[in-house]
Amino acid sequence: MDKYYYITTPIYYPSGKPHMGHAYSSIIADFFARFKRIQGYKVFYLTGTDEHGQKIQRAAEKKGIDPKSFCDEISKTFRNLSKLLNLSNDDFIRTTELRHAKSVENLWNILEDKNEIYLSKYSGWYSVSDEAFYSEDEIQEIDNKKTAKTSGSIVEWIEEESYFFRLSKWQEPLLKFYSENPKFILPESRKNEVISFVKSGLKDLSVSRKSFSWGIKVPSNKDHVIYVWLDALTNYLSALNYPHTNNDLYKNYWPADLHLIGKDILRFHAVYWPAFLLAANIPPPKRVYGHGWILSGEEKMSKSKGNILDPLEIIDNYGLDPLRYYLIKEVSFGNDGNISKDKLENCINSDLANNFGNLCQRVIAFTEKNLNLKIPKEYEFIEDDTRILNLYKSNINNLIDYIDNQNLNNYVNFIQDQLFSANKYFNDQEPWKKKSDLKRLNTIIYVSLELIRKISIMLYPIIPNTSLKVLKIFNIEEKDIDFNSIKSHNILKKNTNINKISILFKKIEKND
Ligand code: MSP
């Protein structure tokens, strides 16, 4: 029986060029996608751009171009970023595509037919930057400017005819859904925030706008465009060919296993989205994980704050895999993380160049010198060997569990411990002193090569390019990587040739 896994990133606003925050969400999602693939799942990994709404319309007007051409241009930079980040996404969706419009219109019609939507009038605060409605107690006034307390973005007063979704009706069903699916929202701390928000009372939600035109029209009333969040969230279904539910994509992949998002958009994903779906009688996703922000100094990195670290510049200077490794390892997953070039350089020098790069170089050089780059043909494990090799077997279920609970840091910590232990093993065993005991020398080489194989497999979801380079030593190709094989000790074929590799990571010269 095939096993399926559907993971999504938020779809990004193409209002400006991509920055590190966007790269972060996508890299983390790629990590999970790659892990589940090597674990044996058929994965569908979706990313894309969110192109409608007033925010984009205004950004295009500012540039003096029509919104579609504006989006075409910037959406391309997001698509290119996916390549530069080596994302393994299976699709890239744009909300201006026809397939998406059909899907949104269908969902709208279902909600209208079920009397979940009614026409009335909205008057209240709206933030174009967040594309969100705020109640009076969610805003503040500083220096005569009214802003949203959570995001700090300017809010404006709007009064217009609007369709409303009967969100209030879904308060109790949502609370029931959260209690029946205790891991629907992770991490735990954010789940509590959402639950108290819902408990505090849900008001019906305005789901159409009349005062601008850049969006998908309400099918029964073309004066209205559908609220950009109802439009955007539906992308997760559009990519599976919804409304055609009788096709393999939809049947295999819905409900999604994981919507990976930033904490700033949790309310949309954990309250509005399941409410729309429950109302339309579509099963909600299995999990929404709200990760923290990448901070620059103490503030969220964002275009409007002008404090952006450009992922392209970092990749140009340091390479992609160091950036991926750094973001995955250094940011405590779920919390905000402060990143800096200095910490990135330390991470490259210690973890990547010293611990991983050196281990590979030393062991390969030693195998070249003593065995002419052949995997030993005779070896016999003693307790020192089985102790270290068995660690993988005894931890494999924990590792899978970490991933299934998005416990990313525990996964990385295990790899770091194993890198440390593998280096220590090679040092302590002193194979260079075993020239008179060839069987022992051979065994140490075999075990060290096995450890490199296992560690490279575990590193594959984090630094795929480097991991593949190392696995080439053993002629293991991407399609052959099998996470489950880390528990076996005899995968490397006796007496076969291994390949040499070039330096994996260059150390960064530091002035201090
Ligand atoms: N278009 C909406 C999402 C719709 S999903 C149906 C949106 N777009 S966004 O471009 O503003 O941001 C998308 C996501 O980028 C955030 O939720 C978050 O995942 C990521 N990040 C943007 N800035 C970030 C940081 N500074 N740090 C970490 N991630 C942040 O919201």
Side-chain angles (χ1 to χ4, degrees):
M1 265 287 272
D2 285 330
K3 297 178 292 182
Y4 296 91
Y5 189 83
Y6 181 26
I7 180 165
T8 65
T9 70
I11 47 170
Y12 304 107
Y13 289 128
S15 49
K17 63 180 185 152
H19 61 71
M20 198 59 90
H22 305 128
Y24 180 68
S25 288
S26 291
I27 287 173
I28 301 285
D30 191 57
F31 165 84
F32 288 115
R34 287 179 185 272
F35 181 90
K36 294 308 280 185
R37 278 196 204 97
I38 64 172
Q39 199 200 337
Y41 282 73
K42 293 209 151 85
V43 172
F44 194 81
Y45 167 21
L46 178 68
T47 187
T49 41
D50 180 359
E51 307 188 4
H52 290 133
Q54 208 167 6
K55 176 180 169 117
I56 302 292
Q57 180 167 324
R58 284 190 185 168
E61 276 163 5
K62 233 178 169 176
K63 286 255 154 112
I65 358 180
D66 70 283
K68 180 62 172 47
S69 316
F70 177 79
C71 290
D72 286 347
E73 193 63 30
I74 306 189
S75 178
K76 235 186 268 162
T77 64
F78 278 89
R79 205 184 276 261
N80 290 344
L81 183 73
S82 303
K83 295 207 178 77
L84 277 166
L85 298 176
N86 192 15
L87 304 184
S88 60
N89 57 301
D90 297 275
D91 198 350
F92 184 100
I93 192 157
R94 299 182 54 186
T95 54
T96 45
E97 290 174 72
L98 188 61
R99 60 171 170 161
H100 176 69
K102 283 186 176 158
S103 166
V104 174
E105 285 162 4
N106 195 274
L107 183 61
W108 178 281
N109 286 338
I110 293 178
L111 294 174
E112 212 178 346
D113 287 351
K114 287 183 178 280
N115 191 26
E116 295 287 347
I117 284 177
Y118 61 92
L119 189 61
S120 183
K121 190 176 166 204
Y122 179 80
S123 49
W125 297 105
Y126 191 76
S127 154
V128 174
S129 169
D130 303 344
E131 295 286 17
F133 301 94
Y134 289 108
S135 63
E136 203 67 52
D137 54 352
E138 287 176 313
I139 62 163
Q140 60 193 1
E141 186 166 342
I142 299 174
D143 299 337
N144 276 335
K145 276 192 198 135
K146 290 210 173 357
T147 57
K149 282 182 191 161
T150 44
S151 63
S153 15
I154 304 263
V155 292
E156 29 193 287
W157 183 259
I158 56 171
E159 278 188 23
E160 60 188 26
E161 184 185 72
S162 169
Y163 283 91
F164 281 79
F165 170 70
R166 295 186 196 280
L167 184 63
S168 54
K169 181 182 147 188
W170 292 94
Q171 175 167 335
E172 288 313 313
L174 277 174
L175 291 170
K176 184 163 172 271
F177 176 73
Y178 302 145
S179 83
E180 285 168 358
N181 299 278
K183 288 188 174 181
F184 170 65
I185 304 166
L186 283 184
E188 199 67 23
S189 54
R190 298 210 204 294
K191 169 174 140 181
N192 301 335
E193 278 166 30
V194 171
I195 293 182
S196 36
F197 170 73
V198 174
K199 277 192 177 151
S200 73
L202 292 179
K203 293 204 191 76
D204 288 354
L205 178 72
S206 163
V207 283
S208 78
R209 300 286 313 274
K210 220 182 158 180
S211 49
F212 65 92
S213 57
W214 180 237
I216 299 174
K217 303 265 182 300
V218 167
S220 56
N221 183 348
K222 307 280 184 215
D223 291 342
H224 287 250
V225 297
I226 296 176
Y227 176 38
V228 64
W229 271 100
L230 173 51
D231 166 343
L233 288 159
T234 309
N235 89 88
Y236 303 131
L237 291 172
S238 318
L240 303 182
N241 293 334
Y242 180 86
H244 306 289
T245 50
N246 199 15
N247 73 85
D248 282 349
L249 272 182
Y250 186 87
K251 281 198 290 196
N252 293 333
Y253 291 107
W254 193 260
D257 292 273
L258 180 59
H259 289 324
L260 184 77
I261 56 164
K263 63 178 183 181
D264 47 333
I265 54 174
L266 193 57
R267 186 181 297 181
F268 303 97
H269 284 79
V271 182
Y272 303 163
W273 183 224
F276 296 150
L277 292 169
L278 289 171
N281 207 13
I282 299 172
K286 292 182 203 155
R287 181 162 305 161
V288 172
Y289 189 103
H291 65 65
W293 287 338
I294 300 292
L295 304 178
S296 175
E298 290 307 311
E299 288 196 306
K300 178 180 180 229
M301 202 176 288
S302 75
K303 189 179 159 239
S304 46
K305 297 209 169 85
N307 57 2
I308 290 176
L309 250 186
D310 183 356
L312 303 189
E313 187 199 314
I314 300 282
I315 295 170
D316 265 355
N317 290 339
Y318 299 98
L320 170 64
D321 278 357
L323 172 66
R324 290 180 59 118
Y325 183 86
Y326 174 66
L327 289 176
I328 291 173
K329 185 212 154 191
E330 204 68 27
V331 179
S332 153
F333 191 54
N335 299 320
D336 293 348
N338 217 306
I339 62 169
S340 72
K341 286 190 184 166
D342 192 46
K343 286 200 265 174
L344 168 65
E345 290 177 357
N346 291 343
C347 188
I348 296 176
N349 285 351
S350 65
D351 290 24
L352 297 176
N354 271 354
N355 295 351
F356 186 46
N358 256 355
L359 174 75
C360 298
Q361 297 300 338
R362 280 171 83 195
V363 174
I364 302 305
F366 193 78
T367 314
E368 181 176 24
K369 202 159 151 215
N370 293 279
L371 286 178
N372 200 17
L373 287 174
K374 283 234 184 302
I375 297 188
K377 58 171 183 266
E378 272 184 89
Y379 57 88
E380 193 178 317
F381 298 147
I382 60 171
E383 213 215 314
D384 283 358
D385 310 324
T386 44
R387 195 182 324 118
I388 190 162
L389 290 168
N390 278 340
L391 279 173
Y392 296 81
K393 193 173 176 181
S394 56
N395 276 291
I396 189 163
N397 290 335
N398 291 340
L399 291 169
I400 293 171
D401 211 54
Y402 295 152
I403 300 297
D404 288 342
N405 287 294
Q406 287 73 50
N407 205 333
L408 229 162
N409 295 94
N410 279 4
Y411 180 86
V412 180
N413 289 344
F414 181 79
I415 303 182
Q416 277 193 298
D417 289 349
Q418 295 324 307
L419 270 173
F420 176 82
S421 306
N423 276 301
K424 182 167 173 0
Y425 170 87
F426 196 71
N427 285 341
D428 292 354
Q429 295 296 324
E430 302 183 311
W432 48 90
K433 290 190 184 162
K434 303 284 178 343
K435 305 254 156 114
S436 57
D437 179 359
L438 276 185
K439 192 187 249 172
R440 187 65 204 139
L441 182 136
N442 279 352
T443 306
I444 298 167
I445 293 182
Y446 190 89
V447 172
S448 304
L449 290 172
E450 258 301 333
L451 294 177
I452 291 177
R453 182 188 70 82
K454 291 171 198 288
I455 290 172
S456 305
I457 289 179
M458 292 191 303
L459 281 171
Y460 166 78
I462 310 177
I463 46 172
N465 281 338
T466 312
S467 153
L468 285 171
K469 212 161 146 190
V470 179
L471 289 170
K472 282 244 160 67
I473 298 176
F474 313 114
N475 297 306
I476 298 174
E477 312 235 355
E478 189 162 26
K479 64 177 177 22
D480 306 321
I481 302 178
D482 172 9
F483 185 74
N484 297 304
S485 74
I486 67 164
K487 62 182 180 209
S488 316
H489 310 328
N490 307 84
I491 296 277
L492 298 177
K493 291 225 169 57
K494 293 178 185 176
N495 208 24
T496 54
N497 285 318
I498 59 172
N499 305 306
K500 289 208 323 189
I501 44 163
S502 50
I503 298 269
L504 297 177
F505 299 99
K506 280 205 194 85
K507 273 193 137 185
I508 317 273
E509 297 283 340
K510 298 197 63 153
N511 298 328
D512 45 33

